[in-house]
Amino acid sequence: MEDLRRTCFFCAERIEEKKTLEHIIPNSLLGKLSIKEKTITGQKETQYSRIKVPAHSTCNSGFGSDFENRALELLEDPDLLYESITNEEDGIAMMYGPDESDTAIITTWLSKIYYGLFYYDLISTQDDDWRNICSSVIANDNFEYVRRSYKNGHGFQLPSSLYVFKTNNLDTDLTTFIEPSSILLKVGAITLILCISDGYLTKNYLNGDTLERLRKNIQTEDETNINFPSHKMAFAEILALRSCIPKTPKFVTSDNQVINMSLSTMVSNPGEYYQINDDRYKEARIEILGKFGIKLG
């Protein structure tokens, strides 16, 4: 653990000079949302402002100027960000490299938060079982790749399905899932959900009219009861679907390009969304909703 505390979260190289500590959630955003002293509950309760990881000052500032500051700028206008991401939802590229789209910026930023949370817990927890779980996330090949891609100036991302929703509820929320690897970040009225490194498998099945039906269902629940956690209902639906897709993400990577092989295998579609009769889907949906404290009639 001492070695990890002297290892840069961004580039994986040892920090020889005085290390800096990078806020996983930007301090400016915490202040704007008035949640610096509020706690995120996982294996333990931790104030948002205390969640930091070791980093070289150059790596820290580089990620801030290249990606984080741009993500925060996008969040300044939630309506425009929502429109931008929804407009970029069409199309799934098999071969791609770094790009400047809003989807790429938000995906990079959310990926950094996801891995940062587990990195922080890995170097701070006293629970051996949880340390082993966190270690499995950080030791994953996907994290090794996103670190390498950052060093090459490409950001923290592999092909990952990004979704955006709107609610009337303005509360802040942050939730992660280990399997399938996913993160939800709710900032005011906008909810961002990212299926980490899923090879666009989820996006391949949940898009177009089916995605719009989900958004309308979430909107209906939200309008019926503003205190209902409709954003987590959306998260549960997406997680349940992802867990039932009978494919495994597969990538071929180089320093500046990713070939996404995840969609090339001939495996049966799990069914049109909302018409899935697979018992696994129903069970997964109920289980995940239960973890969020949601019971539907």
Side-chain angles (χ1 to χ4, degrees), residues 105-144:
I105 296 299
I106 295 297
T107 295
T108 295
W109 184 54
L110 290 178
S111 298
K112 174 252 187 175
I113 294 173
Y114 179 83
Y115 287 114
L117 290 169
F118 286 101
Y119 199 98
Y120 168 79
D121 274 6
L122 177 60
I123 62 178
S124 64
T125 185
Q126 301 300 313
D127 184 315
D128 289 341
D129 290 338
W130 182 239
R131 183 183 296 114
N132 289 336
I133 292 172
C134 294
S135 179
S136 69
V137 174
I138 297 305
N140 189 283
D141 288 343
N142 287 344
F143 182 53
E144 179 183 344

Side-chain angles (χ1 to χ4, degrees), residues 17-112:
E17 73 274 19
K18 183 179 180 180
K19 69 178 179 181
T20 60
L21 291 174
E22 159 72 351
H23 283 91
I24 292 304
I25 309 294
N27 220 15
S28 58
L29 182 60
L30 296 178
K32 179 180 178 181
L33 298 174
S34 301
I35 60 171
K36 280 189 177 183
E37 305 309 317
K38 289 190 177 181
T39 57
I40 178 173
T41 302
Q43 290 297 305
K44 62 179 181 178
E45 288 193 354
T46 307
Q47 289 180 343
Y48 278 100
S49 59
R50 294 181 179 273
I51 303 175
K52 305 174 186 178
V53 292
H56 291 108
S57 59
T58 51
C59 292
N60 190 345
S61 60
F63 186 86
S65 60
D66 291 341
F67 299 101
E68 196 152 68
N69 292 342
R70 294 162 71 185
L72 296 180
E73 288 176 7
L74 293 173
L75 286 171
E76 288 291 328
D77 191 337
D79 291 335
L80 184 60
L81 177 58
Y82 179 88
E83 181 180 350
S84 175
I85 292 177
T86 54
N87 287 338
E88 292 174 355
E89 285 173 346
D90 292 339
I92 299 175
M94 178 178 175
M95 185 179 300
Y96 78 101
D99 68 70
E100 299 295 314
S101 68
D102 292 350
T103 296
I105 296 299
I106 295 297
T107 295
T108 295
W109 184 54
L110 290 178
S111 298
K112 174 252 187 175

